[in-house]
Amino acid sequence: MRISKTALELALWLTDASEDGLPSSVEFSDLQAAFKAIDKKGLQEACYELECLELVTLSAALGHPVLGASPTYNLFWTFDLIVVHTNPIVDAVKIAQMIVDDESLASIPKLHIKLEWSKRRLNPAVAQLMPLIADGRTRKVVQNDYPTLGFSIAPEDRF
């Protein structure tokens, strides 16, 4: 991946600033406060670079080309290993094996209790598994704790 120094600094900061590993928006004013040495246009450009790399999604409003930046799971999957010293891909493999061995752990709150991991570690790993479960078997309930509340595991998923 080619990335500018400013965009890399911003990506690392967003990775570190996430408390729960979910794609929660950070206001541009908070980014400006964290990166005082970078002028507004340079910071906006870094935001657009991260958006182009699919590491953030941006929100805008009239007169505000960048109103907020939300990390994507791609950001966590890319930088967690070096920032928070966890590996969501390795963690996802462990979670998948646990769910195959005990389908009751397809309930993410139950899995969370069993693993005793922080939400910051758990959520990017769970999000890694979501595309592997057929549409309609991932619980899509609006809540602020996990990427999903759980999965309904079918034989094709077990395979």
Side-chain angles (χ1 to χ4, degrees):
M1 169 190 312
R2 290 188 60 165
I3 189 168
S4 70
K5 181 180 184 288
T6 302
L8 178 60
E9 289 174 4
L10 179 56
L12 296 173
W13 186 88
L14 286 166
T15 302
D16 189 49
S18 177
E19 294 179 8
D20 57 11
L22 293 171
S24 304
S25 185
V26 177
E27 292 183 23
F28 188 73
S29 59
D30 292 334
L31 299 178
Q32 287 179 297
F35 293 92
K36 292 179 180 146
I38 301 171
D39 68 19
K40 183 177 182 176
K41 288 188 186 233
L43 191 55
Q44 288 172 336
E45 185 176 312
C47 287
Y48 282 109
E49 182 177 349
L50 293 181
E51 182 181 52
C52 181
L53 294 170
E54 300 180 347
L55 299 174
V56 302
T57 56
L58 300 178
S59 60
L62 193 59
H64 300 279
V66 179
L67 190 60
S70 299
T72 65
Y73 291 114
N74 284 336
L75 179 86
F76 302 133
W77 300 335
T78 303
F79 294 106
D80 273 7
L81 185 61
I82 58 174
V83 174
V84 295
H85 311 290
T86 61
N87 187 330
I89 297 165
V90 170
D91 289 346
V93 171
K94 178 177 180 157
I95 290 169
Q97 186 60 59
M98 290 176 72
I99 291 172
V100 166
D101 293 343
D102 179 358
E103 285 187 32
S104 74
L105 296 177
S107 164
I108 302 308
K110 191 173 199 176
L111 176 71
H112 187 195
I113 291 167
K114 173 86 173 176
L115 284 170
E116 298 180 342
W117 290 351
S118 68
K119 286 182 186 175
R120 178 62 186 84
R121 180 177 182 182
L122 178 70
N123 286 334
V126 168
Q128 184 77 39
L129 296 173
M130 289 177 66
L132 303 176
I133 306 298
D135 205 24
R137 292 201 308 267
T138 299
R139 291 180 58 196
K140 295 179 182 175
V141 178
V142 177
Q143 42 80 38
N144 296 321
D145 291 318
Y146 309 106
T148 180
L149 285 176
F151 308 108
S152 176
I153 304 299
E156 65 192 77
D157 302 315
R158 291 180 57 76
F159 169 76

PDB file of all heavy atoms in Angstrom, residues 117-153:
ATOM      1  N   TRP A 117     -12.352 -10.913  25.964  1.00  0.00           N
ATOM      2  CA  TRP A 117     -11.593  -9.906  25.219  1.00  0.00           C
ATOM      3  C   TRP A 117     -12.303  -8.571  25.338  1.00  0.00           C
ATOM      4  O   TRP A 117     -13.518  -8.507  25.539  1.00  0.00           O
ATOM      5  CB  TRP A 117     -11.528 -10.260  23.739  1.00  0.00           C
ATOM      6  CG  TRP A 117     -10.685 -11.432  23.381  1.00  0.00           C
ATOM      7  CD1 TRP A 117      -9.834 -12.133  24.183  1.00  0.00           C
ATOM      8  CD2 TRP A 117     -10.610 -12.053  22.093  1.00  0.00           C
ATOM      9  NE1 TRP A 117      -9.239 -13.146  23.470  1.00  0.00           N
ATOM     10  CE2 TRP A 117      -9.700 -13.120  22.182  1.00  0.00           C
ATOM     11  CE3 TRP A 117     -11.223 -11.811  20.874  1.00  0.00           C
ATOM     12  CZ2 TRP A 117      -9.383 -13.929  21.103  1.00  0.00           C
ATOM     13  CZ3 TRP A 117     -10.918 -12.622  19.804  1.00  0.00           C
ATOM     14  CH2 TRP A 117      -9.998 -13.664  19.916  1.00  0.00           C
ATOM     15  N   SER A 118     -11.572  -7.499  25.137  1.00  0.00           N
ATOM     16  CA  SER A 118     -12.197  -6.179  25.058  1.00  0.00           C
ATOM     17  C   SER A 118     -13.018  -6.109  23.771  1.00  0.00           C
ATOM     18  O   SER A 118     -12.750  -6.843  22.811  1.00  0.00           O
ATOM     19  CB  SER A 118     -11.122  -5.095  25.039  1.00  0.00           C
ATOM     20  OG  SER A 118     -10.388  -5.167  23.826  1.00  0.00           O
ATOM     21  N   LYS A 119     -13.999  -5.229  23.750  1.00  0.00           N
ATOM     22  CA  LYS A 119     -14.757  -5.016  22.520  1.00  0.00           C
ATOM     23  C   LYS A 119     -13.824  -4.514  21.414  1.00  0.00           C
ATOM     24  O   LYS A 119     -14.032  -4.822  20.244  1.00  0.00           O
ATOM     25  CB  LYS A 119     -15.885  -4.012  22.747  1.00  0.00           C
ATOM     26  CG  LYS A 119     -17.033  -4.574  23.527  1.00  0.00           C
ATOM     27  CD  LYS A 119     -18.124  -3.541  23.676  1.00  0.00           C
ATOM     28  CE  LYS A 119     -19.207  -4.077  24.593  1.00  0.00           C
ATOM     29  NZ  LYS A 119     -20.224  -3.069  24.848  1.00  0.00           N
ATOM     30  N   ARG A 120     -12.821  -3.783  21.797  1.00  0.00           N
ATOM     31  CA  ARG A 120     -11.870  -3.251  20.818  1.00  0.00           C
ATOM     32  C   ARG A 120     -11.182  -4.383  20.051  1.00  0.00           C
ATOM     33  O   ARG A 120     -10.910  -4.267  18.863  1.00  0.00           O
ATOM     34  CB  ARG A 120     -10.834  -2.362  21.531  1.00  0.00           C
ATOM     35  CG  ARG A 120      -9.768  -1.786  20.628  1.00  0.00           C
ATOM     36  CD  ARG A 120     -10.398  -0.882  19.566  1.00  0.00           C
ATOM     37  NE  ARG A 120      -9.431  -0.437  18.608  1.00  0.00           N
ATOM     38  CZ  ARG A 120      -9.046  -1.135  17.535  1.00  0.00           C
ATOM     39  NH1 ARG A 120      -9.548  -2.341  17.305  1.00  0.00           N
ATOM     40  NH2 ARG A 120      -8.166  -0.638  16.703  1.00  0.00           N
ATOM     41  N   ARG A 121     -10.894  -5.471  20.729  1.00  0.00           N
ATOM     42  CA  ARG A 121     -10.271  -6.618  20.067  1.00  0.00           C
ATOM     43  C   ARG A 121     -11.315  -7.485  19.355  1.00  0.00           C
ATOM     44  O   ARG A 121     -11.086  -7.960  18.243  1.00  0.00           O
ATOM     45  CB  ARG A 121      -9.509  -7.465  21.093  1.00  0.00           C
ATOM     46  CG  ARG A 121      -8.843  -8.676  20.473  1.00  0.00           C
ATOM     47  CD  ARG A 121      -8.044  -9.466  21.475  1.00  0.00           C
ATOM     48  NE  ARG A 121      -7.392 -10.591  20.830  1.00  0.00           N
ATOM     49  CZ  ARG A 121      -6.661 -11.484  21.471  1.00  0.00           C
ATOM     50  NH1 ARG A 121      -6.466 -11.374  22.779  1.00  0.00           N
ATOM     51  NH2 ARG A 121      -6.108 -12.475  20.810  1.00  0.00           N
ATOM     52  N   LEU A 122     -12.444  -7.692  19.992  1.00  0.00           N
ATOM     53  CA  LEU A 122     -13.465  -8.596  19.471  1.00  0.00           C
ATOM     54  C   LEU A 122     -14.125  -8.096  18.188  1.00  0.00           C
ATOM     55  O   LEU A 122     -14.283  -8.856  17.222  1.00  0.00           O
ATOM     56  CB  LEU A 122     -14.532  -8.819  20.550  1.00  0.00           C
ATOM     57  CG  LEU A 122     -15.707  -9.709  20.159  1.00  0.00           C
ATOM     58  CD1 LEU A 122     -15.257 -11.157  20.017  1.00  0.00           C
ATOM     59  CD2 LEU A 122     -16.819  -9.588  21.191  1.00  0.00           C
ATOM     60  N   ASN A 123     -14.522  -6.845  18.160  1.00  0.00           N
ATOM     61  CA  ASN A 123     -15.358  -6.349  17.064  1.00  0.00           C
ATOM     62  C   ASN A 123     -14.718  -6.436  15.678  1.00  0.00           C
ATOM     63  O   ASN A 123     -15.368  -6.895  14.739  1.00  0.00           O
ATOM     64  CB  ASN A 123     -15.851  -4.939  17.372  1.00  0.00           C
ATOM     65  CG  ASN A 123     -16.939  -4.959  18.420  1.00  0.00           C
ATOM     66  OD1 ASN A 123     -17.656  -5.944  18.579  1.00  0.00           O
ATOM     67  ND2 ASN A 123     -17.070  -3.867  19.159  1.00  0.00           N
ATOM     68  N   PRO A 124     -13.461  -6.039  15.488  1.00  0.00           N
ATOM     69  CA  PRO A 124     -12.887  -6.200  14.150  1.00  0.00           C
ATOM     70  C   PRO A 124     -12.799  -7.669  13.718  1.00  0.00           C
ATOM     71  O   PRO A 124     -12.958  -7.979  12.531  1.00  0.00           O
ATOM     72  CB  PRO A 124     -11.500  -5.567  14.270  1.00  0.00           C
ATOM     73  CG  PRO A 124     -11.639  -4.563  15.369  1.00  0.00           C
ATOM     74  CD  PRO A 124     -12.572  -5.230  16.353  1.00  0.00           C
ATOM     75  N   ALA A 125     -12.577  -8.558  14.649  1.00  0.00           N
ATOM     76  CA  ALA A 125     -12.508  -9.984  14.317  1.00  0.00           C
ATOM     77  C   ALA A 125     -13.882 -10.515  13.920  1.00  0.00           C
ATOM     78  O   ALA A 125     -14.011 -11.261  12.943  1.00  0.00           O
ATOM     79  CB  ALA A 125     -11.950 -10.776  15.497  1.00  0.00           C
ATOM     80  N   VAL A 126     -14.912 -10.136  14.645  1.00  0.00           N
ATOM     81  CA  VAL A 126     -16.281 -10.549  14.298  1.00  0.00           C
ATOM     82  C   VAL A 126     -16.655  -9.993  12.927  1.00  0.00           C
ATOM     83  O   VAL A 126     -17.232 -10.693  12.090  1.00  0.00           O
ATOM     84  CB  VAL A 126     -17.285 -10.101  15.382  1.00  0.00           C
ATOM     85  CG1 VAL A 126     -18.723 -10.266  14.906  1.00  0.00           C
ATOM     86  CG2 VAL A 126     -17.056 -10.870  16.675  1.00  0.00           C
ATOM     87  N   ALA A 127     -16.303  -8.746  12.678  1.00  0.00           N
ATOM     88  CA  ALA A 127     -16.607  -8.131  11.380  1.00  0.00           C
ATOM     89  C   ALA A 127     -15.906  -8.873  10.241  1.00  0.00           C
ATOM     90  O   ALA A 127     -16.431  -8.933   9.125  1.00  0.00           O
ATOM     91  CB  ALA A 127     -16.206  -6.663  11.388  1.00  0.00           C
ATOM     92  N   GLN A 128     -14.759  -9.456  10.510  1.00  0.00           N
ATOM     93  CA  GLN A 128     -14.029 -10.233   9.510  1.00  0.00           C
ATOM     94  C   GLN A 128     -14.843 -11.459   9.084  1.00  0.00           C
ATOM     95  O   GLN A 128     -14.777 -11.878   7.927  1.00  0.00           O
ATOM     96  CB  GLN A 128     -12.674 -10.667  10.081  1.00  0.00           C
ATOM     97  CG  GLN A 128     -11.785 -11.406   9.122  1.00  0.00           C
ATOM     98  CD  GLN A 128     -11.114 -10.492   8.124  1.00  0.00           C
ATOM     99  OE1 GLN A 128     -10.693  -9.409   8.454  1.00  0.00           O
ATOM    100  NE2 GLN A 128     -11.022 -10.926   6.898  1.00  0.00           N
ATOM    101  N   LEU A 129     -15.623 -12.010   9.992  1.00  0.00           N
ATOM    102  CA  LEU A 129     -16.410 -13.208   9.701  1.00  0.00           C
ATOM    103  C   LEU A 129     -17.739 -12.918   9.001  1.00  0.00           C
ATOM    104  O   LEU A 129     -18.275 -13.789   8.311  1.00  0.00           O
ATOM    105  CB  LEU A 129     -16.703 -13.969  10.993  1.00  0.00           C
ATOM    106  CG  LEU A 129     -15.495 -14.540  11.719  1.00  0.00           C
ATOM    107  CD1 LEU A 129     -15.909 -15.125  13.061  1.00  0.00           C
ATOM    108  CD2 LEU A 129     -14.784 -15.566  10.855  1.00  0.00           C
ATOM    109  N   MET A 130     -18.261 -11.739   9.162  1.00  0.00           N
ATOM    110  CA  MET A 130     -19.605 -11.432   8.667  1.00  0.00           C
ATOM    111  C   MET A 130     -19.797 -11.719   7.174  1.00  0.00           C
ATOM    112  O   MET A 130     -20.814 -12.305   6.807  1.00  0.00           O
ATOM    113  CB  MET A 130     -19.989 -10.002   9.023  1.00  0.00           C
ATOM    114  CG  MET A 130     -20.238  -9.837  10.518  1.00  0.00           C
ATOM    115  SD  MET A 130     -20.596  -8.160  11.000  1.00  0.00           S
ATOM    116  CE  MET A 130     -22.165  -7.894  10.183  1.00  0.00           C
ATOM    117  N   PRO A 131     -18.867 -11.373   6.296  1.00  0.00           N
ATOM    118  CA  PRO A 131     -19.091 -11.665   4.869  1.00  0.00           C
ATOM    119  C   PRO A 131     -19.085 -13.162   4.544  1.00  0.00           C
ATOM    120  O   PRO A 131     -19.526 -13.554   3.470  1.00  0.00           O
ATOM    121  CB  PRO A 131     -17.914 -10.973   4.172  1.00  0.00           C
ATOM    122  CG  PRO A 131     -17.359 -10.011   5.151  1.00  0.00           C
ATOM    123  CD  PRO A 131     -17.682 -10.555   6.507  1.00  0.00           C
ATOM    124  N   LEU A 132     -18.609 -13.981   5.457  1.00  0.00           N
ATOM    125  CA  LEU A 132     -18.544 -15.420   5.217  1.00  0.00           C
ATOM    126  C   LEU A 132     -19.861 -16.128   5.528  1.00  0.00           C
ATOM    127  O   LEU A 132     -20.043 -17.288   5.149  1.00  0.00           O
ATOM    128  CB  LEU A 132     -17.419 -16.042   6.051  1.00  0.00           C
ATOM    129  CG  LEU A 132     -16.030 -15.452   5.828  1.00  0.00           C
ATOM    130  CD1 LEU A 132     -15.030 -16.076   6.778  1.00  0.00           C
ATOM    131  CD2 LEU A 132     -15.593 -15.600   4.380  1.00  0.00           C
ATOM    132  N   ILE A 133     -20.745 -15.450   6.232  1.00  0.00           N
ATOM    133  CA  ILE A 133     -22.038 -16.029   6.590  1.00  0.00           C
ATOM    134  C   ILE A 133     -23.064 -15.542   5.573  1.00  0.00           C
ATOM    135  O   ILE A 133     -23.142 -14.350   5.283  1.00  0.00           O
ATOM    136  CB  ILE A 133     -22.456 -15.609   8.022  1.00  0.00           C
ATOM    137  CG1 ILE A 133     -21.367 -15.948   9.039  1.00  0.00           C
ATOM    138  CG2 ILE A 133     -23.793 -16.224   8.397  1.00  0.00           C
ATOM    139  CD1 ILE A 133     -21.051 -17.416   9.171  1.00  0.00           C
ATOM    140  N   ALA A 134     -23.830 -16.463   5.028  1.00  0.00           N
ATOM    141  CA  ALA A 134     -24.796 -16.117   3.980  1.00  0.00           C
ATOM    142  C   ALA A 134     -25.760 -15.035   4.458  1.00  0.00           C
ATOM    143  O   ALA A 134     -26.130 -14.979   5.636  1.00  0.00           O
ATOM    144  CB  ALA A 134     -25.562 -17.368   3.549  1.00  0.00           C
ATOM    145  N   ASP A 135     -26.153 -14.194   3.523  1.00  0.00           N
ATOM    146  CA  ASP A 135     -27.085 -13.114   3.822  1.00  0.00           C
ATOM    147  C   ASP A 135     -28.363 -13.693   4.424  1.00  0.00           C
ATOM    148  O   ASP A 135     -28.855 -14.732   4.002  1.00  0.00           O
ATOM    149  CB  ASP A 135     -27.415 -12.342   2.542  1.00  0.00           C
ATOM    150  CG  ASP A 135     -27.837 -10.922   2.825  1.00  0.00           C
ATOM    151  OD1 ASP A 135     -27.470 -10.390   3.881  1.00  0.00           O
ATOM    152  OD2 ASP A 135     -28.531 -10.344   1.977  1.00  0.00           O
ATOM    153  N   GLY A 136     -28.867 -13.029   5.417  1.00  0.00           N
ATOM    154  CA  GLY A 136     -30.074 -13.495   6.084  1.00  0.00           C
ATOM    155  C   GLY A 136     -29.788 -14.315   7.332  1.00  0.00           C
ATOM    156  O   GLY A 136     -30.697 -14.596   8.097  1.00  0.00           O
ATOM    157  N   ARG A 137     -28.527 -14.687   7.544  1.00  0.00           N
ATOM    158  CA  ARG A 137     -28.188 -15.472   8.737  1.00  0.00           C
ATOM    159  C   ARG A 137     -27.271 -14.698   9.680  1.00  0.00           C
ATOM    160  O   ARG A 137     -26.658 -15.271  10.563  1.00  0.00           O
ATOM    161  CB  ARG A 137     -27.567 -16.803   8.330  1.00  0.00           C
ATOM    162  CG  ARG A 137     -28.585 -17.713   7.641  1.00  0.00           C
ATOM    163  CD  ARG A 137     -28.191 -19.160   7.666  1.00  0.00           C
ATOM    164  NE  ARG A 137     -26.862 -19.428   7.172  1.00  0.00           N
ATOM    165  CZ  ARG A 137     -26.573 -19.750   5.909  1.00  0.00           C
ATOM    166  NH1 ARG A 137     -27.520 -19.831   5.017  1.00  0.00           N
ATOM    167  NH2 ARG A 137     -25.330 -19.998   5.561  1.00  0.00           N
ATOM    168  N   THR A 138     -27.181 -13.408   9.450  1.00  0.00           N
ATOM    169  CA  THR A 138     -26.448 -12.527  10.354  1.00  0.00           C
ATOM    170  C   THR A 138     -27.468 -11.607  11.002  1.00  0.00           C
ATOM    171  O   THR A 138     -28.257 -10.970  10.307  1.00  0.00           O
ATOM    172  CB  THR A 138     -25.404 -11.688   9.579  1.00  0.00           C
ATOM    173  OG1 THR A 138     -24.478 -12.571   8.974  1.00  0.00           O
ATOM    174  CG2 THR A 138     -24.659 -10.751  10.502  1.00  0.00           C
ATOM    175  N   ARG A 139     -27.478 -11.561  12.318  1.00  0.00           N
ATOM    176  CA  ARG A 139     -28.460 -10.732  13.036  1.00  0.00           C
ATOM    177  C   ARG A 139     -28.114  -9.266  12.842  1.00  0.00           C
ATOM    178  O   ARG A 139     -27.072  -8.800  13.281  1.00  0.00           O
ATOM    179  CB  ARG A 139     -28.488 -11.097  14.512  1.00  0.00           C
ATOM    180  CG  ARG A 139     -29.069 -12.486  14.728  1.00  0.00           C
ATOM    181  CD  ARG A 139     -29.108 -12.899  16.165  1.00  0.00           C
ATOM    182  NE  ARG A 139     -29.886 -11.963  16.978  1.00  0.00           N
ATOM    183  CZ  ARG A 139     -29.819 -11.926  18.307  1.00  0.00           C
ATOM    184  NH1 ARG A 139     -29.037 -12.763  18.960  1.00  0.00           N
ATOM    185  NH2 ARG A 139     -30.539 -11.072  18.982  1.00  0.00           N
ATOM    186  N   LYS A 140     -29.006  -8.559  12.163  1.00  0.00           N
ATOM    187  CA  LYS A 140     -28.782  -7.143  11.855  1.00  0.00           C
ATOM    188  C   LYS A 140     -29.684  -6.285  12.728  1.00  0.00           C
ATOM    189  O   LYS A 140     -30.641  -5.695  12.251  1.00  0.00           O
ATOM    190  CB  LYS A 140     -29.020  -6.882  10.376  1.00  0.00           C
ATOM    191  CG  LYS A 140     -28.029  -7.605   9.494  1.00  0.00           C
ATOM    192  CD  LYS A 140     -28.282  -7.377   8.038  1.00  0.00           C
ATOM    193  CE  LYS A 140     -27.269  -8.167   7.242  1.00  0.00           C
ATOM    194  NZ  LYS A 140     -27.473  -8.122   5.832  1.00  0.00           N
ATOM    195  N   VAL A 141     -29.385  -6.244  13.990  1.00  0.00           N
ATOM    196  CA  VAL A 141     -30.141  -5.454  14.943  1.00  0.00           C
ATOM    197  C   VAL A 141     -29.334  -4.197  15.237  1.00  0.00           C
ATOM    198  O   VAL A 141     -28.127  -4.267  15.469  1.00  0.00           O
ATOM    199  CB  VAL A 141     -30.366  -6.255  16.254  1.00  0.00           C
ATOM    200  CG1 VAL A 141     -31.100  -5.414  17.272  1.00  0.00           C
ATOM    201  CG2 VAL A 141     -31.118  -7.542  15.958  1.00  0.00           C
ATOM    202  N   VAL A 142     -29.993  -3.045  15.194  1.00  0.00           N
ATOM    203  CA  VAL A 142     -29.288  -1.796  15.465  1.00  0.00           C
ATOM    204  C   VAL A 142     -28.943  -1.741  16.952  1.00  0.00           C
ATOM    205  O   VAL A 142     -29.810  -1.789  17.819  1.00  0.00           O
ATOM    206  CB  VAL A 142     -30.148  -0.579  15.062  1.00  0.00           C
ATOM    207  CG1 VAL A 142     -29.436   0.706  15.419  1.00  0.00           C
ATOM    208  CG2 VAL A 142     -30.478  -0.627  13.577  1.00  0.00           C
ATOM    209  N   GLN A 143     -27.671  -1.689  17.229  1.00  0.00           N
ATOM    210  CA  GLN A 143     -27.152  -1.593  18.597  1.00  0.00           C
ATOM    211  C   GLN A 143     -25.714  -1.094  18.500  1.00  0.00           C
ATOM    212  O   GLN A 143     -25.137  -1.065  17.421  1.00  0.00           O
ATOM    213  CB  GLN A 143     -27.258  -2.934  19.333  1.00  0.00           C
ATOM    214  CG  GLN A 143     -26.894  -4.183  18.541  1.00  0.00           C
ATOM    215  CD  GLN A 143     -25.408  -4.442  18.422  1.00  0.00           C
ATOM    216  OE1 GLN A 143     -24.657  -4.217  19.357  1.00  0.00           O
ATOM    217  NE2 GLN A 143     -24.970  -4.905  17.275  1.00  0.00           N
ATOM    218  N   ASN A 144     -25.140  -0.672  19.594  1.00  0.00           N
ATOM    219  CA  ASN A 144     -23.825  -0.033  19.576  1.00  0.00           C
ATOM    220  C   ASN A 144     -22.730  -0.846  20.242  1.00  0.00           C
ATOM    221  O   ASN A 144     -21.708  -0.293  20.634  1.00  0.00           O
ATOM    222  CB  ASN A 144     -23.908   1.338  20.256  1.00  0.00           C
ATOM    223  CG  ASN A 144     -24.809   2.284  19.512  1.00  0.00           C
ATOM    224  OD1 ASN A 144     -24.815   2.312  18.294  1.00  0.00           O
ATOM    225  ND2 ASN A 144     -25.588   3.059  20.238  1.00  0.00           N
ATOM    226  N   ASP A 145     -22.936  -2.152  20.364  1.00  0.00           N
ATOM    227  CA  ASP A 145     -21.935  -2.953  21.051  1.00  0.00           C
ATOM    228  C   ASP A 145     -21.082  -3.808  20.124  1.00  0.00           C
ATOM    229  O   ASP A 145     -19.886  -3.974  20.357  1.00  0.00           O
ATOM    230  CB  ASP A 145     -22.608  -3.871  22.078  1.00  0.00           C
ATOM    231  CG  ASP A 145     -23.180  -3.091  23.244  1.00  0.00           C
ATOM    232  OD1 ASP A 145     -22.502  -2.162  23.721  1.00  0.00           O
ATOM    233  OD2 ASP A 145     -24.294  -3.414  23.669  1.00  0.00           O
ATOM    234  N   TYR A 146     -21.683  -4.373  19.094  1.00  0.00           N
ATOM    235  CA  TYR A 146     -21.001  -5.335  18.224  1.00  0.00           C
ATOM    236  C   TYR A 146     -21.387  -5.082  16.766  1.00  0.00           C
ATOM    237  O   TYR A 146     -22.441  -4.507  16.498  1.00  0.00           O
ATOM    238  CB  TYR A 146     -21.405  -6.768  18.603  1.00  0.00           C
ATOM    239  CG  TYR A 146     -21.259  -7.092  20.065  1.00  0.00           C
ATOM    240  CD1 TYR A 146     -22.382  -7.199  20.878  1.00  0.00           C
ATOM    241  CD2 TYR A 146     -20.004  -7.284  20.632  1.00  0.00           C
ATOM    242  CE1 TYR A 146     -22.260  -7.495  22.239  1.00  0.00           C
ATOM    243  CE2 TYR A 146     -19.878  -7.577  21.989  1.00  0.00           C
ATOM    244  CZ  TYR A 146     -21.001  -7.676  22.782  1.00  0.00           C
ATOM    245  OH  TYR A 146     -20.862  -7.961  24.120  1.00  0.00           O
ATOM    246  N   PRO A 147     -20.587  -5.566  15.823  1.00  0.00           N
ATOM    247  CA  PRO A 147     -20.971  -5.440  14.414  1.00  0.00           C
ATOM    248  C   PRO A 147     -22.261  -6.199  14.099  1.00  0.00           C
ATOM    249  O   PRO A 147     -23.018  -5.826  13.216  1.00  0.00           O
ATOM    250  CB  PRO A 147     -19.802  -6.056  13.650  1.00  0.00           C
ATOM    251  CG  PRO A 147     -18.669  -6.110  14.600  1.00  0.00           C
ATOM    252  CD  PRO A 147     -19.263  -6.155  15.977  1.00  0.00           C
ATOM    253  N   THR A 148     -22.514  -7.276  14.825  1.00  0.00           N
ATOM    254  CA  THR A 148     -23.743  -8.058  14.746  1.00  0.00           C
ATOM    255  C   THR A 148     -23.953  -8.700  16.113  1.00  0.00           C
ATOM    256  O   THR A 148     -22.991  -8.875  16.866  1.00  0.00           O
ATOM    257  CB  THR A 148     -23.653  -9.157  13.656  1.00  0.00           C
ATOM    258  OG1 THR A 148     -24.885  -9.884  13.634  1.00  0.00           O
ATOM    259  CG2 THR A 148     -22.515 -10.124  13.905  1.00  0.00           C
ATOM    260  N   LEU A 149     -25.189  -9.050  16.406  1.00  0.00           N
ATOM    261  CA  LEU A 149     -25.439  -9.748  17.671  1.00  0.00           C
ATOM    262  C   LEU A 149     -25.210 -11.242  17.551  1.00  0.00           C
ATOM    263  O   LEU A 149     -25.111 -11.942  18.549  1.00  0.00           O
ATOM    264  CB  LEU A 149     -26.857  -9.480  18.170  1.00  0.00           C
ATOM    265  CG  LEU A 149     -27.060  -8.095  18.778  1.00  0.00           C
ATOM    266  CD1 LEU A 149     -28.514  -7.888  19.162  1.00  0.00           C
ATOM    267  CD2 LEU A 149     -26.153  -7.884  19.972  1.00  0.00           C
ATOM    268  N   GLY A 150     -25.104 -11.729  16.307  1.00  0.00           N
ATOM    269  CA  GLY A 150     -24.826 -13.150  16.169  1.00  0.00           C
ATOM    270  C   GLY A 150     -25.107 -13.668  14.775  1.00  0.00           C
ATOM    271  O   GLY A 150     -25.514 -12.931  13.880  1.00  0.00           O
ATOM    272  N   PHE A 151     -24.869 -14.953  14.643  1.00  0.00           N
ATOM    273  CA  PHE A 151     -25.031 -15.648  13.376  1.00  0.00           C
ATOM    274  C   PHE A 151     -25.940 -16.856  13.583  1.00  0.00           C
ATOM    275  O   PHE A 151     -25.981 -17.435  14.653  1.00  0.00           O
ATOM    276  CB  PHE A 151     -23.682 -16.182  12.869  1.00  0.00           C
ATOM    277  CG  PHE A 151     -22.588 -15.159  12.802  1.00  0.00           C
ATOM    278  CD1 PHE A 151     -21.531 -15.179  13.699  1.00  0.00           C
ATOM    279  CD2 PHE A 151     -22.598 -14.181  11.814  1.00  0.00           C
ATOM    280  CE1 PHE A 151     -20.517 -14.244  13.623  1.00  0.00           C
ATOM    281  CE2 PHE A 151     -21.579 -13.241  11.731  1.00  0.00           C
ATOM    282  CZ  PHE A 151     -20.541 -13.280  12.631  1.00  0.00           C
ATOM    283  N   SER A 152     -26.623 -17.240  12.523  1.00  0.00           N
ATOM    284  CA  SER A 152     -27.318 -18.514  12.477  1.00  0.00           C
ATOM    285  C   SER A 152     -26.465 -19.394  11.570  1.00  0.00           C
ATOM    286  O   SER A 152     -26.337 -19.131  10.377  1.00  0.00           O
ATOM    287  CB  SER A 152     -28.724 -18.328  11.900  1.00  0.00           C
ATOM    288  OG  SER A 152     -29.350 -19.577  11.770  1.00  0.00           O
ATOM    289  N   ILE A 153     -25.861 -20.399  12.149  1.00  0.00           N
ATOM    290  CA  ILE A 153     -24.895 -21.220  11.435  1.00  0.00           C
ATOM    291  C   ILE A 153     -25.601 -22.378  10.731  1.00  0.00           C
ATOM    292  O   ILE A 153     -26.340 -23.138  11.350  1.00  0.00           O
ATOM    293  CB  ILE A 153     -23.810 -21.756  12.405  1.00  0.00           C
ATOM    294  CG1 ILE A 153     -23.145 -20.596  13.140  1.00  0.00           C
ATOM    295  CG2 ILE A 153     -22.789 -22.599  11.662  1.00  0.00           C
ATOM    296  CD1 ILE A 153     -22.442 -19.596  12.257  1.00  0.00           C
TER     297      ILE A 153
END
